Amino acid sequence: MMNTQRKGGKNMGVLILAAGQGTRMESALPKVLHPMGGKPMIFYTLRLANALKPAAIGVVVGHEAEKVKAAVSALAKETGITRPIQFIVQKAMLGSGNAVLESVPFLKKFKTAVVLCGDTPLLTYESIYGLALSHEEQKGQATLLTAKLANPKGYGRIVRSPMGEVLRIVEESVGSPKELALNEVNSGAYCFEVEPLLLGLKDISPKGPKKEQFLTDIMELVRSKGGKINAYLSPNPEEILGVNSRVQLAASERVINRRMLERFMLSGVTVCDPGSTHIDADVEIGQDTVIQPFTVMRGKTKIGRQCRVGPFCYLEDAQVGNECEVRSSQLVSCRVLEKCAIGPFANIRPDSVLGPRAKVGNFSEVKNSRVGFGSKVPHLSYIGDTEIIEDVNVGAGTITCNYDGKTKHKTTIGAKAFIGSNVNLVAPVKVGRGAKIGAGSTITEDVPDGNLAIARARQVNKA
Ligand code: UD1
Ligand code: MG
């Protein structure tokens, strides 16, 4: 890992361009807010900017400015962004050059500025650090992060002199066939000396089909005033992938996901099939847990050590303790304590707490309930608004009738109670400690401790 202390400081600011609508996304949602790894895409750029330790981070907003501002502020708070964030409102979306022009009051405060696009979430700290270091060493007026791509379509192409100096960047929409055949592309990440940048900005003339001011035209302008442009070639071209369409969104998400999974694998988690496993950025998984194929973990899901999760599981904001087994089930906003067995085909809904050593199995649904220590709900049950104390066996097909059409009511089942199969517990109702309920009963009154309750019609055999 490189030394992070050398970069940043009071002379450096980072500017993130995030005002564009993202027309090619064909979406009502601003592009930089599209989710990736469970976070709005701009999170990754924000985190990167923060890691550079600049004096401040400027975020240019425009399209749906209030929405983007609110999302960025919330992210900053949630994810521990420590650098001050300043929003710059771009009044009309006249291109990336115009976005930087609108940011002059912010940029003026610094000697050096790193400019990043809000739609390149895969850039790593190593690359941007390398870019900043190369900028410092080569003493040019601007340094670009570039990459060589087999298919450069859509990106700005880097035009170099026969000697290899960077002359200019040509955008796809205005390039000649010869220029468009060049395969070194602009990542959209730059390091600028602010003074020459500010001198050139206002001279960028509108271009292309949308008459936009291309930030990339600044290179030629800086050069025309005697400045020098350098390029830092990314060692990993995959990183520069820009997200302009949903096809690129999916490609980027795949990389983010793979990075997450690799991090887990390197910390001792077995991921049987990375291709069918999707894990959000905030998920935590303990050592020696095995994740079987077709498993999705969203939000703030946390899995303990030595668990087996999957195949075919969906977990969202779920906490699972050590040594649990979860198979083909859905768990949302719930807590499963250690050594529980869930599934196959269980639906554990919000505000449920299971275990330790509880079992909820085949086609059972649990909602806002506690299934206490060692208790079992193995087959075909609905347990809602219920407190199951401990060591209870709930027979197949048991239903807590918690809803009378207006209000939800509570069921309590005491320790060591035994509920026969196909029982209806009409809430509010209490089943006492050690009580037994005969199969097929509909229980409408409390059952005292140790009693046997049978509430069903007696069998009549007729010849
Ligand atoms: C841009 C670069 C291109 C580079 C590519 C890398 C320009 C002109 N071109 O192209 O050379 O290869 O990124 O991904 O910059 N934005 C604003 N205000 C605007 C317009 C855009 O803030 O008026 C922001 C967008 O929100 C986005 C960024 O600037 O984050 C880049 O804009 P985008 O339209 O995605 O440019 P690309 O075509 O990807
Ligand atoms: Mg883009």
Side-chain angles (χ1 to χ4, degrees):
M1 197 69 177
M2 289 180 235
N3 177 4
T4 56
Q5 301 307 318
R6 287 198 49 197
K7 286 275 91 40
K10 66 177 175 14
N11 291 327
M12 190 186 112
V14 177
L15 185 68
I16 300 176
L17 310 185
Q21 176 184 355
T23 320
R24 292 162 279 179
M25 296 296 281
E26 301 289 346
S27 176
L29 187 68
K31 174 163 74 174
V32 296
L33 300 189
H34 273 261
M36 185 174 291
K39 301 248 185 240
M41 192 196 317
I42 197 169
F43 161 71
Y44 300 95
T45 314
L46 212 53
R47 184 175 67 178
L48 175 62
N50 193 59
L52 291 167
K53 301 190 194 310
I57 302 170
V59 181
V60 188
V61 293
H63 175 74
E64 295 263 30
E66 289 312 312
K67 225 179 192 173
V68 178
K69 267 192 206 176
V72 167
S73 304
L75 271 175
K77 217 168 166 183
E78 272 167 35
T79 61
I81 301 291
T82 52
R83 302 287 130 168
I85 293 181
Q86 195 181 317
F87 292 104
I88 297 124
V89 180
Q90 187 185 8
K91 289 180 273 305
M93 269 48 80
L94 301 173
S96 51
N98 180 264
V100 178
L101 186 62
E102 295 270 18
S103 310
V104 168
F106 171 79
L107 292 168
K108 269 202 314 215
K109 296 185 240 169
F110 312 107
K111 184 180 164 294
T112 310
V114 170
V115 176
L116 304 170
C117 292
D119 67 348
T120 50
L122 302 181
L123 290 176
T124 61
Y125 176 78
E126 278 72 18
S127 289
I128 300 301
Y129 182 84
L131 170 74
L133 202 63
S134 151
H135 180 77
E136 210 171 273
E137 284 169 4
Q138 300 205 47
K139 306 211 183 312
Q141 276 59 53
T143 309
L144 337 165
L145 178 70
T146 69
K148 289 202 167 142
L149 297 186
N151 177 11
K153 196 168 186 313
Y155 293 91
R157 315 294 206 278
I158 310 298
V159 181
R160 292 182 183 254
S161 73
M163 303 295 288
E165 295 162 299
V166 175
L167 300 178
R168 59 183 190 276
I169 304 176
V170 181
E171 291 304 314
E172 175 91 26
S173 58
V174 296
S176 68
K178 201 174 151 206
E179 286 165 334
L180 297 184
L182 296 168
N183 74 341
E184 188 184 4
V185 304
N186 170 30
S187 69
Y190 323 83
C191 199
F192 287 106
E193 285 309 291
V194 172
E195 220 181 278
L197 171 69
L198 299 192
L199 280 177
L201 269 179
K202 52 187 181 317
D203 296 334
I204 299 180
S205 45
K207 257 197 199 164
K210 292 205 248 159
K211 294 278 166 267
E212 284 182 313
Q213 289 173 290
F214 295 152
L215 173 60
T216 43
D217 281 352
I218 192 73
M219 307 306 161
E220 224 174 341
L221 290 165
V222 167
R223 267 180 53 82
S224 72
K225 294 187 169 73
K228 186 166 182 290
I229 312 295
N230 296 306
Y232 175 72
L233 189 68
S234 167
N236 177 12
E238 172 186 81
E239 277 187 30
I240 69 125
L241 181 67
V243 177
N244 299 309
S245 69
R246 300 208 200 210
V247 175
Q248 290 171 323
L249 181 73
S252 244
E253 167 103 45
R254 196 156 52 234
V255 177
I256 293 267
N257 190 52
R258 195 194 65 218
R259 286 183 188 168
M260 276 296 288
L261 294 175
E262 282 173 4
R263 196 165 64 85
F264 282 125
M265 290 187 258
L266 293 172
S267 71
V269 175
T270 295
V271 179
C272 299
D273 179 20
S276 70
T277 307
H278 295 265
I279 296 190
D280 279 355
D282 286 340
V283 170
E284 293 174 40
I285 308 175
Q287 213 175 42
D288 288 322
T289 281
V290 177
I291 311 293
Q292 300 271 1
F294 297 98
T295 293
V296 177
M297 296 188 188
R298 296 278 178 236
K300 298 206 183 320
T301 291
K302 195 172 169 185
I303 312 287
R305 292 185 305 275
Q306 294 173 31
C307 293
R308 183 193 133 125
V309 183
F312 301 104
C313 285
Y314 178 83
L315 290 86
E316 184 179 319
D317 298 324
Q319 287 184 37
V320 176
N322 298 335
E323 296 175 56
C324 288
E325 185 167 337
V326 184
R327 287 190 289 156
S328 303
S329 292
Q330 172 158 308
L331 284 71
V332 176
S333 302
C334 59
R335 244 161 29 106
V336 175
L337 306 179
E338 63 186 41
K339 298 185 176 163
C340 284
I342 313 292
F345 314 116
N347 183 10
I348 314 298
R349 293 173 49 200
D351 304 314
S352 298
V353 181
L354 314 186
R357 292 179 188 273
K359 178 178 165 69
V360 176
N362 312 261
F363 305 104
S364 289
E365 174 179 347
V366 177
K367 185 220 73 171
N368 184 34
S369 294
R370 183 161 82 90
V371 178
F373 183 94
S375 296
K376 297 183 177 65
V377 187
H379 331 270
L380 301 156
S381 287
Y382 171 64
I383 303 296
D385 306 305
T386 297
E387 177 102 7
I388 296 178
I389 305 299
E390 65 173 51
D391 246 336
V392 167
N393 190 77
V394 175
T398 294
I399 305 293
T400 54
C401 311
N402 61 331
Y403 187 47
D404 60 12
K406 287 199 188 94
T407 327
K408 302 281 168 70
H409 300 282
K410 198 175 162 184
T411 300
T412 305
I413 305 178
K416 297 191 188 311
F418 181 92
I419 316 292
S421 293
N422 226 30
V423 165
N424 300 310
L425 296 165
V426 182
V429 72
K430 281 187 184 155
V431 176
R433 185 184 166 86
K436 288 190 172 60
I437 314 282
S441 294
T442 293
I443 299 296
T444 54
E445 286 165 32
D446 290 356
V447 181
D449 291 355
N451 282 26
L452 166 68
I454 303 174
R456 65 183 186 224
R458 185 170 278 279
Q459 182 173 336
V460 183
N461 291 334
K462 290 183 180 168

